[in-house]
Amino acid sequence: MDGGTYSYRLFTRSDFSAFWALFTDNLVNLLILSGVCQFVFQMPPEIVYGRIVPGAAVAILAGVAVYTLMAKWAATRQGRDVTALPYGISTPVMFVYLFGVIGPIYWATQDPLLAWQVGIGAGFMGGIVAALGAVVGPYLKRITPRAGMLGTLCGIALVFIGSVPLAEIFENPVIGFTSLLFILWGLIGRFRLPGNLPAGLVAIGAGTVIAIVLGEAKFDFSGVGAYPPVPYIGDMIAGIQYLFANPELFLVLIPVQIYNFIETMNNVESAEAAGDSYPVGLCQVTDGAGTMIGAVFGSPFPTTVYIGHPAYKRLDAHAGYIVGVALVIAAAAFLGFLSFLAGLIPIAAAAPVLVFVSVSLITNTAWSIKPMHMAAVSFAILPHISEFLMVKWGSLMNALRASGVEGLPALGDANLTAALLMEGAHYEGHLALSQGAILTGLIWGAIVADVIDARFRMAGAFALAAAAMSSLGIIHAPTLQMPQFDGITVGYVIIGAFLYLYPLVAPKEDLEERVIVPDEPDMMDDIPPAQRA
């Protein structure tokens, strides 16, 4: 078919199921950030629901407009239907902004207005950094093995998007299991539901009905009203001025935005692996611009291409699902329905949709890479497990303090670290792995994949790049720092030097012949066992 004459339908029936999955993802993020801002940082409702939430909705609308046009362009160019890239507030970066930027300002000043101003100032500056990713993003995409990029996404999907919602299901099993049943039947098993109803809608609806019957849902219309989006230029400038007066905050801001544009790059690669190709540089500019627009209208939180495109591709979605999510989120934000939905829809009813997104991403990764690269994917997942442990250990310590336990040492205390080590909990190692986990996972996935492919110099280059980033504190450190030649940096240098130098002197047969590892499948020929003679 001539790509120039191809007619792409933005809306199809299959967009309904995808809509409920993406809507749930965005809704959960908005519920979390509004709850933390209101009840942890004591921001008044007029800031949370009158400024932050409408600003986030404007950012989502702006990005969705671009990604809808991009999908139409891609379909016309390729002469076939494509699935638009999912888009919304970046979940990992949202938590960094909450507890790494807004939280410290509030705790230091007890001024929620200043904390919000610094938040939107940081969001605007961070958007600039994210957009600059377009300069290096296409090059990184060319040289980084797919297993490294998708593997680190699998780590996020496994521990944060999959296991946490699954735990929430088991905390409220009557509601959660009922919703999970319909996700298992309609989205994972792919069986039709009566009337061909979207499984995501049925899952959330069934869970919500049960919650109403059990008295675990409430109809609260007190927050409903008109909250039109308004630009807050003066407040944003005040926040930026505070940032430059306290430049140590940039040590949090810059690394997390580097993470954000790499997350965009990885998610675009995930879409390409599922069959839809988009220009990574333009996507990074769009995400940065969306973040900056959101900051102008009051939202501190960065936006990004979402994890999960393969799941929406499996559902045969077009672009209608992202358009629907943007319009519904905007309506809920501008009319104050977010607080109403927060009381009505239980987390356990929405959580199964996120579990599906997690499972689908991991499954698609396994199908889209060479079998022998699953070792690289597995390696890339591991740093995120450490990140998960650090988050939960921190939550445990905060919970103990909140419950009245006195005299608790801080995580990192030498005696506590030694005691944890005696119990087999390697705090220092997990801490190092958790800092910059997405970059660490990508790097190690790339090193392993390149070694498997005998691309030794490229593997060595990734190791030496990791040494430089470790030395500067981009990975394995809490903040940026002057160059340091610590143990982890030395370790990366040793790996990089070996991978560069040894292949120059090694016997040729040692570089061409593979060793058979006992009790391991031999997948070096890329032929699945079932297809071998």
Side-chain angles (χ1 to χ4, degrees):
M1 178 176 290
D2 181 4
T5 61
Y6 184 76
S7 178
Y8 175 63
R9 289 189 302 158
L10 295 180
F11 296 88
T12 65
R13 182 176 177 82
S14 54
D15 280 300
F16 284 104
S17 290
F19 163 83
W20 286 106
L22 183 61
F23 172 72
T24 300
D25 208 345
N26 275 273
L27 179 63
V28 169
N29 277 345
L30 289 171
L31 294 178
I32 290 172
L33 68 87
S34 60
V36 171
C37 287
Q38 185 172 4
F39 300 113
V40 178
F41 304 145
Q42 304 303 311
M43 292 185 185
E46 54 265 28
I47 289 181
V48 176
Y49 296 109
R51 302 181 185 184
I52 293 177
V53 172
V58 170
I60 291 171
L61 282 170
V64 163
V66 175
Y67 285 118
T68 300
L69 293 174
M70 203 180 295
K72 185 173 177 61
W73 167 81
T76 301
R77 182 174 61 89
Q78 299 171 33
R80 60 176 179 82
D81 288 339
V82 300
T83 296
L85 290 168
Y87 175 79
I89 294 171
S90 172
T91 304
V93 177
M94 176 186 75
F95 283 107
V96 174
Y97 268 66
L98 281 170
F99 297 105
V101 178
I102 298 174
I105 300 301
Y106 171 73
W107 291 319
T109 65
Q110 296 297 305
D111 186 345
L113 176 62
L114 177 62
W116 168 72
Q117 290 174 330
V118 174
I120 61 175
F124 188 84
M125 298 300 294
I128 296 174
V129 176
L132 290 176
V135 177
V136 297
Y139 172 72
L140 289 175
K141 185 174 181 294
R142 284 197 303 272
I143 67 171
T144 306
R146 175 172 288 179
M149 290 191 285
L150 298 188
T152 197
L153 289 183
C154 285
I156 298 171
L158 178 69
V159 299
F160 290 108
I161 301 176
S163 65
V164 172
L166 188 61
E168 292 169 337
I169 292 170
F170 274 75
E171 288 176 345
N172 198 338
V174 174
I175 295 172
F177 277 41
T178 302
S179 297
L180 183 60
L181 166 65
F182 293 108
I183 296 300
L184 177 63
W185 184 266
L187 296 184
I188 296 178
R190 303 193 194 184
F191 294 104
R192 289 181 183 274
L193 289 167
N196 202 24
L197 290 171
L201 172 61
V202 175
I204 295 174
T208 301
V209 169
I210 293 175
I212 292 172
V213 172
L214 297 177
E216 297 183 22
K218 59 182 180 179
F219 294 89
D220 182 3
F221 294 93
S222 61
V224 175
Y227 300 95
V230 176
Y232 298 96
I233 305 294
D235 290 291
M236 187 182 71
I237 292 174
I240 293 173
Q241 290 173 337
Y242 188 95
L243 282 171
F244 279 100
N246 299 270
E248 66 274 8
L249 289 172
F250 283 103
L251 301 182
V252 175
L253 178 64
I254 293 175
V256 76
Q257 286 300 155
I258 292 174
Y259 159 91
N260 204 35
F261 79 66
I262 290 178
E263 181 185 24
T264 296
M265 180 184 74
N266 291 346
N267 290 335
V268 172
E269 178 69 16
S270 175
E272 185 171 322
D276 293 340
S277 179
Y278 291 99
V280 65
L282 181 57
C283 293
Q284 289 168 320
V285 170
T286 300
D287 291 353
T291 299
M292 294 165 68
I293 291 170
V296 169
F297 284 89
S299 171
F301 302 105
T303 53
T304 187
V305 172
Y306 261 12
I307 289 176
H309 175 278
Y312 306 118
K313 183 73 173 177
R314 283 181 59 188
L315 296 174
D316 196 30
H318 285 202
Y321 81 108
I322 65 170
V323 175
V325 167
L327 294 177
V328 172
I329 289 292
F334 301 157
L335 298 176
F337 277 103
L338 189 68
S339 59
F340 167 74
L341 293 174
L344 181 63
I345 302 175
I347 294 296
V353 181
L354 301 182
V355 174
F356 162 69
V357 171
S358 170
V359 170
S360 182
L361 176 68
I362 295 170
T363 303
N364 186 77
T365 295
W367 280 102
S368 64
I369 64 169
K370 295 185 287 188
M372 60 184 179
H373 278 183
M374 279 306 296
V377 171
S378 301
F379 224 110
I381 288 173
L382 297 178
H384 297 282
I385 298 175
S386 293
E387 182 182 18
F388 184 74
L389 287 172
M390 293 305 304
V391 169
K392 295 306 176 184
W393 283 345
S395 298
L396 173 62
M397 298 298 286
N398 291 336
L400 289 173
R401 292 189 185 93
S403 63
V405 178
E406 298 180 356
L408 283 173
L411 281 174
D413 175 82
N415 292 330
L416 177 59
T417 298
L420 285 170
L421 185 60
M422 291 294 293
E423 296 294 327
H426 298 269
Y427 173 81
E428 290 185 339
H430 287 304
L431 176 63
L433 277 168
S434 71
Q435 293 164 333
I438 190 169
L439 275 173
T440 302
L442 183 151
I443 289 165
W444 277 102
I447 291 172
V448 174
D450 281 334
V451 168
I452 291 171
D453 290 341
R455 300 173 65 202
F456 303 117
R457 299 189 71 174
M458 187 60 71
F462 274 106
L464 294 177
M469 287 188 281
S470 175
S471 174
L472 295 170
I474 296 173
I475 56 176
H476 309 311
T479 64
L480 295 176
Q481 61 194 20
M482 295 299 292
Q484 296 184 8
F485 212 59
D486 57 13
I488 293 177
T489 301
V490 171
Y492 279 122
V493 170
I494 291 172
I495 292 175
F498 177 87
L499 291 171
Y500 257 99
L501 299 176
Y502 179 69
L504 299 177
V505 299
K508 184 178 181 181
E509 59 271 17
D510 287 357
L511 301 178
E512 295 179 349
E513 297 180 7
R514 305 292 181 135
V515 177
I516 302 300
V517 179
D519 300 323
E520 287 289 329
D522 182 15
M523 296 184 293
M524 289 300 179
D525 56 6
D526 277 342
I527 302 176
Q531 299 177 14
R532 294 176 188 164

